[in-house]
Amino acid sequence: APTTDSAGHRIQQLPAPSSHPALSEERVRGFDYSYLKPVGWSEGERDLDPPPDTLVQPDDTDVPAFIAVERPIRIGTSSLKEAVERLRTGFEDKGFRPMAAPERQIGGYSAMGIVVDQSDVLRHVYYVAVYAEQAFAIRLTYDPAHPESLDVYRAVLDSWSWG
């Protein structure tokens, strides 16, 4: 596996999938995208700044996790790398040390990722894709001791459709 992403940032390898989360037939629809809702997760509200476009979280409140899609940001002719660099710089300005996540496809479009460890029990994984000149940041916030949330996130990304 590569140790740096295409922008040259060191990759934080994520644990290999350990479960096969079930997805429902129900699609969560957002601005210009949709994804399948994981079984045992529901759309919800969190006090996030900025407020997300869509958010799903486990029905089991003992599982500390949520998946949020930020409202898309118009980037015009900026590249995916530039969009991800802006996100990375925002974390660095707050004193965090973001790592890259392994690159992947989301709905057939290239995506680059960032991993930010806010504490031992709070990790954020963001994947950013560019669709129709807009950057979409798709975020998982979870406790790394519960890697099954990461598997749910991967399944959501695998179910993604644009438009």
Side-chain angles (χ1 to χ4, degrees), residues 9 50 70 73 75 79-94 96-99 112-116 124-129 135-139 153:
H9 295 292
E70 315 268 328
I73 298 166
I75 61 166
S79 68
L80 172 60
K81 277 184 193 165
E82 289 167 314
V84 174
E85 206 54 46
R86 278 201 287 276
L87 182 62
R88 169 183 291 280
T89 302
F91 282 116
E92 288 171 344
D93 290 348
K94 291 179 185 149
F96 294 113
R97 298 186 51 198
M99 301 274 286
M112 293 175 72
I114 290 181
V115 180
V116 179
H124 308 286
V125 181
Y126 283 80
Y127 272 101
V128 180
F136 290 78
I138 308 154
R139 159 188 182 182
Y153 176 63

Side-chain angles (χ1 to χ4, degrees), residues 26-108:
E26 188 185 334
R27 291 197 85 80
V28 176
R29 295 200 173 276
F31 184 81
D32 253 354
Y33 66 88
S34 68
Y35 55 87
L36 289 175
K37 187 172 73 63
V39 170
W41 289 52
S42 300
E43 290 187 69
E45 298 283 325
R46 290 280 177 119
D47 188 17
L48 301 177
D49 182 29
D53 187 43
T54 59
L55 183 146
V56 293
Q57 57 195 1
D59 298 332
D60 178 353
T61 53
D62 289 339
V63 179
F66 64 86
I67 296 168
V69 184
E70 315 268 328
R71 290 180 177 156
I73 298 166
R74 286 214 159 276
I75 61 166
T77 56
S78 295
S79 68
L80 172 60
K81 277 184 193 165
E82 289 167 314
V84 174
E85 206 54 46
R86 278 201 287 276
L87 182 62
R88 169 183 291 280
T89 302
F91 282 116
E92 288 171 344
D93 290 348
K94 291 179 185 149
F96 294 113
R97 298 186 51 198
M99 301 274 286
E103 292 179 49
R104 57 163 295 149
Q105 297 265 310
I106 298 177

